[in-house]
Amino acid sequence: MEQILFLRLRKRLVIRQKDVILLGDICQLYLDGEREEKLRRIPLYQVKKEDGNLIIIDIMQVIRKLRQMYPEIHLKVQGSTQIIVEVENPAKRANFFLVSFVWLLLFIGSGLALMNFHADVSMLEVQRRLYQLITGQYEKRPLLLQIPYSLGIGLGMVLFFNHIFRKRFNEEPSPLDVELFLYQQNLDQYYLENENEENQRDKT
């Protein structure tokens, strides 16, 4: 009976410093038999220093390797035809002074942005007018409105981004998560298309 090996390349893989990429690292495999685990351990690619931190593996490399070792197995490929493998460098300890400087810069910049926005829309005048409409009295500093408004901005930002430090309130992705996901997708698409263009140039 003919054995069929079903293959599906993962879209992206992040590995730590590792010399050899195994077939099971980049593929989902299904084979009706005992050889499936042995196939997962097939060495597919030797990571070299000149590869940098991004490696693109094509399905043809996988097929070529499997045909050399198991010519009798019938292959069925599903899904994408290329995978991006990111080689993670060892994490470096964060520089306390650099992190503090960036944090301070962002804090001051975001504060100035909020203040400039409120100045542009005359927020103080609006709050004074609202306070006068509600209470019937004019107040130069309507703290009754300003304090809840300030707290509301902070709470709204926390709820909008669905994070407070590392804690997430629910499984729903925040707008920032979605934007980062789309950005990563565009980057991956660029890498794949750039790789294909280079391959076409090499053939001519």
Side-chain angles (χ1 to χ4, degrees), residues 1-201:
M1 183 179 174
E2 186 183 54
Q3 285 190 309
I4 300 175
L5 172 62
F6 293 92
L7 285 173
R8 183 192 291 272
L9 276 184
R10 295 182 171 93
K11 289 187 177 180
R12 187 178 181 88
L13 176 69
V14 179
I15 60 171
R16 292 184 179 175
Q17 289 288 351
K18 188 178 179 183
D19 292 330
V20 180
I21 297 172
L22 305 179
L23 185 62
D25 293 334
I26 64 164
C27 283
Q28 291 176 294
L29 305 171
Y30 178 76
L31 179 65
D32 190 14
E34 297 177 359
R35 286 187 287 180
E36 186 176 318
E37 194 55 40
K38 196 180 287 185
L39 287 168
R40 292 181 194 278
R41 292 195 295 268
I42 291 175
L44 189 66
Y45 188 82
Q46 178 80 38
V47 179
K48 301 180 285 291
K49 282 187 178 179
E50 54 266 27
D51 289 328
N53 65 336
L54 282 178
I55 301 165
I56 295 175
I57 297 177
D58 194 271
I59 191 65
M60 295 307 293
Q61 294 171 254
V62 178
I63 293 171
R64 199 176 297 116
K65 186 77 172 179
L66 288 171
R67 283 288 179 218
Q68 288 171 1
M69 299 182 70
Y70 301 99
E72 74 282 2
I73 292 179
H74 184 66
L75 300 175
K76 282 205 171 181
V77 180
Q78 298 176 339
S80 58
T81 58
Q82 290 175 313
I83 178 173
I84 295 175
V85 180
E86 183 179 344
V87 182
E88 233 179 20
N89 294 318
K92 295 178 181 178
R93 178 173 281 185
N95 186 319
F96 174 77
F97 296 104
L98 184 61
V99 171
S100 301
F101 174 73
V102 172
W103 179 85
L104 189 63
L105 196 67
L106 291 173
F107 180 78
I108 294 170
S110 58
L112 286 172
L114 280 171
M115 286 189 288
N116 287 329
F117 167 75
H118 287 121
D120 284 344
V121 297
S122 303
M123 184 61 72
L124 181 58
E125 289 302 320
V126 171
Q127 288 175 340
R128 284 173 180 166
R129 182 65 179 151
L130 280 173
Y131 186 87
Q132 189 175 12
L133 287 171
I134 293 168
T135 64
Q137 296 176 354
Y138 178 81
E139 179 65 50
K140 193 174 181 181
R141 296 178 63 192
L143 297 178
L144 194 65
L145 293 178
Q146 288 178 335
I147 292 172
Y149 176 75
S150 301
L151 293 173
I153 288 177
L155 183 61
M157 293 297 284
V158 168
L159 293 175
F160 181 74
F161 288 108
N162 196 23
H163 273 88
I164 180 163
F165 299 109
R166 293 190 177 184
K167 183 175 174 58
R168 184 189 286 265
F169 299 116
N170 54 52
E171 294 302 314
E172 184 180 340
S174 70
L176 183 60
D177 293 328
V178 174
E179 285 301 319
L180 286 173
F181 173 75
L182 292 173
Y183 175 71
Q184 189 62 62
Q185 269 195 330
N186 290 334
L187 269 183
D188 291 349
Q189 191 64 35
Y190 171 79
Y191 291 138
L192 293 175
E193 288 185 10
N194 193 51
E195 176 71 11
N196 288 334
E197 285 176 11
E198 286 182 5
N199 288 341
Q200 289 297 326
R201 279 194 230 104

